[in-house]
Amino acid sequence: MTRIDITQNLTLKKLLKGRYLQTAIQIIMLMGFVFTILAGFLGTPVGSHNFGLIFVWVAWWALLILVIVPFFGRSWCAICPIPLVGEWLQRGAILDPLPKRPSYIPRRIPRIFRNIWLQNIFFIVLALSSSVLLTTPRSTALVLSGMFVTGILLTFLFERRTFCRFLCPLGGFIGLYSQVAPLELRVKNKKICSTCREKPCYNGSSSGFGCPWDTFPTALRKNSYCGLCMECLRTCPNENIAVNIRPFASDLNTPLRRVDEAFKAFIMVGSAVVYAAVFLGPWANLKDAAYSIGSLAWFVYSLGFLLITVVLLPGLFWISTRYTQRDDTRQQMGKTEFAALSTTVIPLGLMFWIAFTLSFSMTNVSYILVTLSDPLGLGWNLFGTANIAWQPILTSLLPFLQTVILLIGLVWSAGIAKKITEPMGVSAFPIIAYGFGVTSFMMWLLL
């Protein structure tokens, strides 16, 4: 499979290794982030006219799902404002490393938490309150503030970007689907890494900081745990780091190995299905239950959400794996094999989210222009667009686009199923049938 190392272009390499442009973008993102929080607290409570709500859940979310994650992987993590302040405080520096490291060095997070189970839990918590988050500016501001403060506090307790790697609910989402992006950071020659004693890519040097993601570049086999911060590109003394353009979904050729990652895939699929039912379905009682946080109806809704995402979908998939086996392979199918076969769910989930996001963003895109002119809903008209009437776009094409997207996900998933099951000596048909059933149900919800 062909890969093109863009660092071979000296201009691009200088741009990627330079710190000033990235830091400038991070500061701009931080200013926008703070303004978004202020807009949520101080602006109008009408969600469709509040900058914070529209730009987080319509503009940024659509850009993330439709463009950034599928084409640029975890590049958002390279400019995300949430960990910035805590990271600056932990390092004692904003730009270049100090000659002497800060005297207080936080410890590593305990081994029991070095997985994405906490990310899975926090994502579910946000998902269960999504109806309020997507309609109430103050709730969105509270969540963003909580993530910001948590990110800062954790930098005083644990080293590196502990919040990003192990807790951020969106980080797990982005990491899972960044595997399909045609952009990767990898070492050029692992033998060179094996002879490097200082490991500045991980430990840091005068040229840059150690990997904030607690990852050795030589161990990278997927995009999931690389935040594309480019610190290893700056610190490697052997010029052994490459930033490659590669074929789409190259990481999916290497199956998942861990159950926490497998469950992330099922949680993403289940969340997309439930969101489609709540936000696009005709069931008023379901919408009321999802919105009425703390009520008996909401607890019933939450129980149903959990049953779908962490019991029903992975349970049915596990049953389908039972039927893939021959008698001589039945005893070999354990957690590792279940995780490997769960790789087939990743393209389904990504396409589900793209199809859902299209309907959500195309319906509400006109609000972006309104809130640009009047971000706080105070009657301003900065750019002359505050009085634009609500107008969904391309709604006539939406069913066709969603059908094509869901079918692409199904065919894609089937292809991965065949690749994974063939060397295992088992049948791909039950897994393909599982994907067909889930896709058909999602298509019924959307169309």
Side-chain angles (χ1 to χ4, degrees):
M1 299 197 314
T2 304
R3 279 169 166 76
I4 302 172
D5 179 9
I6 63 175
T7 64
Q8 295 300 312
N9 182 294
L10 296 181
T11 302
L12 285 176
K13 183 175 182 178
K14 183 177 180 180
L15 193 64
L16 291 174
K17 290 186 71 172
R19 196 179 298 279
Y20 293 98
L21 177 60
Q22 182 183 20
T23 302
I25 296 174
Q26 289 174 330
I27 292 174
I28 292 172
M29 293 295 105
L30 180 60
M31 293 169 61
F33 183 79
V34 172
F35 182 77
T36 297
I37 293 174
L38 292 176
F41 284 127
L42 304 177
T44 175
V46 180
S48 60
H49 287 73
N50 187 286
F51 177 91
L53 193 143
I54 293 299
F55 268 78
V56 170
W57 301 121
V58 178
W60 173 78
W61 183 257
L63 188 65
L64 185 74
I65 299 299
L66 303 179
V67 179
I68 296 177
V69 171
F71 293 99
F72 301 99
R74 297 205 76 148
S75 57
W76 167 256
C77 297
I79 59 173
C80 178
I82 292 177
L84 279 187
V85 175
E87 192 168 64
W88 292 342
L89 292 172
Q90 186 184 84
R91 293 171 171 176
I94 293 179
L95 290 172
D96 298 318
L98 297 175
K100 184 178 180 181
R101 297 183 67 180
S103 58
Y104 173 71
I105 302 176
R107 63 190 181 94
R108 294 195 74 189
I109 191 170
R111 182 177 297 274
I112 191 175
F113 298 121
R114 293 178 204 167
N115 50 59
I116 62 171
W117 284 116
L118 287 178
Q119 284 185 337
N120 292 344
I121 292 170
F122 285 133
F123 184 90
I124 289 174
V125 171
L126 284 184
L128 290 175
S129 58
S130 59
S131 296
V132 175
L133 290 178
L134 270 63
T135 56
T136 309
R138 184 175 292 272
S139 298
T140 292
L142 282 171
V143 169
L144 295 180
S145 300
M147 294 172 67
F148 187 63
V149 172
T150 302
I152 293 175
L153 293 178
L154 286 176
T155 58
F156 292 103
L157 297 175
F158 305 111
E159 65 176 358
R160 308 179 193 256
R161 288 191 176 187
T162 296
F163 174 79
C164 301
R165 176 68 188 269
F166 302 112
L167 275 85
C168 179
L170 293 176
F173 178 97
I174 295 172
L176 180 72
Y177 295 129
S178 67
Q179 297 179 73
V180 310
L183 183 70
E184 67 176 11
L185 185 146
R186 298 290 188 273
V187 298
K188 299 176 184 178
N189 188 335
K190 292 189 176 183
K191 291 183 179 179
I192 294 177
C193 294
S194 66
T195 61
C196 180
R197 294 184 177 181
E198 292 79 12
K199 299 289 189 294
C201 60
Y202 181 80
N203 297 312
S205 68
S206 59
S207 301
F209 302 98
C211 177
W213 292 80
D214 197 26
T215 298
F216 282 97
T218 187
L220 281 174
R221 31 190 292 281
K222 290 175 175 286
N223 285 347
S224 301
Y225 305 114
C226 173
L228 294 176
C229 64
M230 300 300 163
E231 291 299 336
C232 57
L233 183 66
R234 298 176 183 124
T235 57
C236 180
N238 302 306
E239 303 291 330
N240 196 35
I241 301 295
V243 180
N244 297 321
I245 304 295
R246 65 180 190 179
F248 275 95
S250 296
D251 285 354
L252 299 187
N253 293 319
T254 304
L256 298 176
R257 295 179 178 178
R258 292 165 28 189
V259 176
D260 56 335
E261 295 175 326
F263 266 82
K264 169 64 72 177
F266 290 110
I267 290 169
M268 293 301 102
V269 170
S271 298
V273 170
V274 174
Y275 277 21
V278 172
F279 292 104
L280 305 177
W283 303 286
N285 290 337
L286 180 61
K287 297 179 190 292
D288 292 340
Y291 190 85
S292 304
I293 295 179
S295 67
L296 177 61
W298 179 80
F299 281 108
V300 174
Y301 161 75
S302 300
L303 179 60
F305 182 96
L306 292 173
L307 287 175
I308 291 172
T309 55
V310 300
V311 178
L312 181 63
L313 286 175
L316 290 176
F317 187 85
W318 181 82
I319 292 173
S320 73
T321 65
R322 302 290 91 184
Y323 288 98
T324 65
Q325 303 164 38
R326 303 189 309 265
D327 290 339
D328 58 342
T329 63
R330 194 170 297 276
Q331 297 301 320
Q332 302 174 15
M333 299 293 286
K335 292 181 180 180
T336 302
E337 290 73 23
F338 173 80
L341 293 172
S342 299
T343 308
T344 60
V345 179
I346 294 175
L348 289 179
L350 179 60
M351 294 298 105
F352 283 15
W353 278 101
I354 289 176
F356 169 75
T357 300
L358 274 179
S359 62
F360 192 78
S361 60
M362 292 169 69
T363 302
N364 298 289
V365 67
S366 60
Y367 290 130
I368 296 175
L369 295 176
V370 173
T371 54
L372 269 177
S373 281
D374 188 13
L376 301 180
L378 299 178
W380 301 347
N381 196 1
L382 301 177
F383 304 106
T385 58
N387 298 316
I388 290 179
W390 172 75
Q391 181 64 51
I393 62 171
L394 301 176
T395 51
S396 60
L397 291 177
L398 186 57
F400 171 76
L401 292 174
Q402 290 175 320
T403 300
V404 171
I405 289 167
L406 294 179
L407 289 177
I408 289 174
L410 178 59
V411 173
W412 190 1
S413 174
I416 294 174
K418 290 181 179 179
K419 286 183 180 179
I420 294 177
T421 56
E422 184 174 349
M424 296 172 67
V426 297
S427 171
F429 179 77
I431 296 175
I432 296 174
Y434 172 90
F436 177 81
V438 177
T439 301
S440 299
F441 185 72
M442 185 66 172
M443 191 174 297
W444 174 74
L445 287 173
L446 292 176
L447 305 179

